[in-house]
Amino acid sequence: MSAPRPQPRLDADNRAFWTGGAVGELRLMRCRDCASFIHPPRPVCRKCLSENVAPHAVAGTGVIDSFTVNHQKWHPALEVPYVIARVAIDGAPGVFLTTNVVGCDVNEVDIGDRVRVTFEQQGEIYYPLFEKIVR
């Protein structure tokens, strides 16, 4: 997908998530007190209410939990069809990213597929997309 994506407004809480791709890292907020991951990024831990949170690089792999194939051309530059998936992130219990699966035919995607992050840069934003891990 090469069409322009809506750009998030960067702030102190989400900057690490949206720019970590510059160095090839998928960064999630993590509580330094209870070790819980926090996504979407927030300044306070949902579990223990600590403000001691910071970005943490995760492996960038996961499993497709659910997906759909979109055939609607929402933007003139958008190539259809494409996969919208929910990915359970390895090593970050409870974190699911809604993303796109790229680099393969839409008919090759299935629930349970192992995937790894890849990034699509637009300006200073690095969108985390996922590719299937070929065994």
Side-chain angles (χ1 to χ4, degrees):
M1 292 178 45
S2 57
R5 296 173 182 271
Q7 295 229 339
R9 184 170 295 154
L10 296 180
D11 60 31
D13 299 325
N14 70 19
R15 182 172 294 280
F17 176 78
W18 291 114
T19 62
V23 293
E25 292 182 349
L26 179 59
R27 296 177 183 160
L28 301 172
M29 294 301 279
R30 188 173 192 186
C31 179
R32 291 179 173 169
D33 292 331
C34 75
S36 294
F37 284 92
I38 306 153
H39 192 78
R42 299 186 191 253
V44 175
C45 176
R46 288 186 186 102
K47 300 242 170 140
C48 73
L49 302 179
S50 171
E51 294 180 8
N52 188 14
V53 299
H56 178 82
V58 295
T61 57
V63 176
I64 296 175
D65 173 75
S66 179
F67 77 96
T68 190
V69 177
N70 184 68
H71 295 272
Q72 178 66 44
K73 193 173 185 99
W74 298 105
H75 187 279
L78 190 62
E79 295 177 26
V80 293
Y82 60 90
V83 174
I84 302 168
R86 188 173 101 143
V87 174
I89 302 300
D90 291 341
V95 174
F96 297 86
L97 295 184
T98 301
T99 183
N100 298 121
V101 176
V102 298
C104 67
D105 186 273
V106 298
N107 296 314
E108 296 174 4
V109 176
D110 205 354
I111 292 171
D113 284 348
R114 301 275 312 143
V115 291
R116 84 173 127 258
V117 74
T118 185
F119 296 95
E120 179 181 294
Q121 181 185 4
Q122 289 184 13
E124 66 179 315
I125 307 296
Y126 288 78
Y127 296 91
L129 309 177
F130 284 79
E131 298 175 321
K132 284 182 59 169
I133 296 174
V134 181
R135 298 172 198 185

